[in-house]
Amino acid sequence: MATPVVESLFITLKRGMAGVRHQHVRIVKAIGLTYRQQTVERTNTPAMRGAVAKIPHLLTLETNLQRAARLAAQAEARKLRPPVIVRHA
C-alpha cells in the first residue's frame, strides 16, 4: 500500500518574538506569521521545511494528515453523548 502524500504543512507560532534573535524574527515573518497562536498553511517544500527546522522552539508543525486526524478526534469529543438517566428507588 502506498504511503499517503503530505501536501501541505500547517505551521503555528507558539511563542512570541520578544527577545528572539533578529534572524529568527525574519524567518517567522517570511513564513507569514505575525502574532502568537496564528496558523498558516504552506506547501510542503524542502525550503519551507528548512525554515521551520531553524526555529523549532518557536513553531509547531502539523502535516495535512496529522491535522485532519486531530480535528476529527476533536469533533468526536464534542459530539453529544446520551443523557445519564438516574432512577431513584
Side-chain angles (χ1 to χ4, degrees):
M1 184 170 158
T3 57
V5 177
V6 176
E7 298 170 354
S8 56
L9 303 173
F10 290 88
I11 306 165
T12 304
L13 183 62
K14 66 180 179 179
R15 296 187 55 185
M17 292 184 281
V20 175
R21 292 175 51 192
H22 180 67
Q23 185 64 28
H24 293 178
V25 173
R26 289 181 61 195
I27 293 170
V28 168
K29 288 185 179 180
I31 291 173
L33 297 166
T34 55
Y35 53 89
R36 276 189 325 127
Q37 303 304 323
Q38 180 184 9
T39 301
V40 293
E41 181 180 4
R42 297 289 178 249
T43 57
N44 184 16
T45 61
M48 190 55 63
R49 284 200 174 264
V52 170
K54 286 181 181 265
I55 50 173
H57 58 285
L58 297 176
L59 306 174
T60 56
L61 177 68
E62 278 184 319
T63 64
N64 56 339
L65 306 172
Q66 291 170 334
R67 183 175 173 92
R70 180 178 58 83
L71 292 177
Q74 285 178 349
E76 182 68 28
R78 280 194 302 263
K79 281 175 51 176
L80 292 177
R81 296 181 184 96
V84 177
I85 301 173
V86 178
R87 297 187 190 267
H88 297 285

